[in-house]
Amino acid sequence: MKNIDRSKLPEEIRVELEKIENGKVDGVLKSVATEIESGDFDKALKMIKKEIVDAVVLNSPKNERNIKKTAEELLGADIEEEKEDDLTIELKKPIGEVDVITLNPDNINGTVLSKIEQTWRSRNKVNREMVKELDGQYLAMVAAVMSGIEYSTIMNLGGYDFTQLTSKVRNFLLVG
């Protein structure tokens, strides 16, 4: 910081500048210091404002779910709230008295999955080589068992709701 008389700066700023010069801060603060040093205070202020806005956006409730998901992916942390939401679908177009479908993994086991596959393959004689986890009928059968809702009701869901439900079942089967 050649052009600035440090003695005229507040103590907090002098301490922060010292940290920057000693390499004890991240790249953004170094960039801010460089702009201050060159005398471009407007650019330095814009950079600081951007960092503040980014921090506020990252900590907003809207992004809380994404942050939790990232933490779960990076740290392997189990976040129960996230798992519960992954298995619940609020229907946009309720059918009868059904307005929410909750998939319960405890309702299904290997024997049941094998029987569902046998039933699906017996009904699907033309495309026997098809990957079952990509077929809506197979996923609807699994969803029926996991949710306790009749297969015919699942098949009568609106397009958006059916797609949401089968996507969650597919993720459950393929990702676990």
Side-chain angles (χ1 to χ4, degrees), residues 92-135:
K92 291 212 180 244
K93 187 178 175 187
I95 292 189
E97 306 223 353
V98 179
D99 58 351
V100 174
I101 296 177
T102 301
L103 300 169
N104 184 352
D106 294 334
N107 290 348
I108 203 154
N109 60 32
T111 303
V112 173
L113 282 171
S114 294
K115 287 183 181 180
I116 292 171
E117 182 177 357
Q118 285 176 338
T119 303
W120 176 76
R121 290 208 185 275
S122 69
R123 292 182 183 179
N124 194 17
K125 294 183 181 189
V126 177
N127 293 323
R128 294 192 125 212
E129 286 77 40
M130 179 180 209
V131 177
K132 64 187 180 293
E133 289 84 4
L134 298 177
D135 184 72

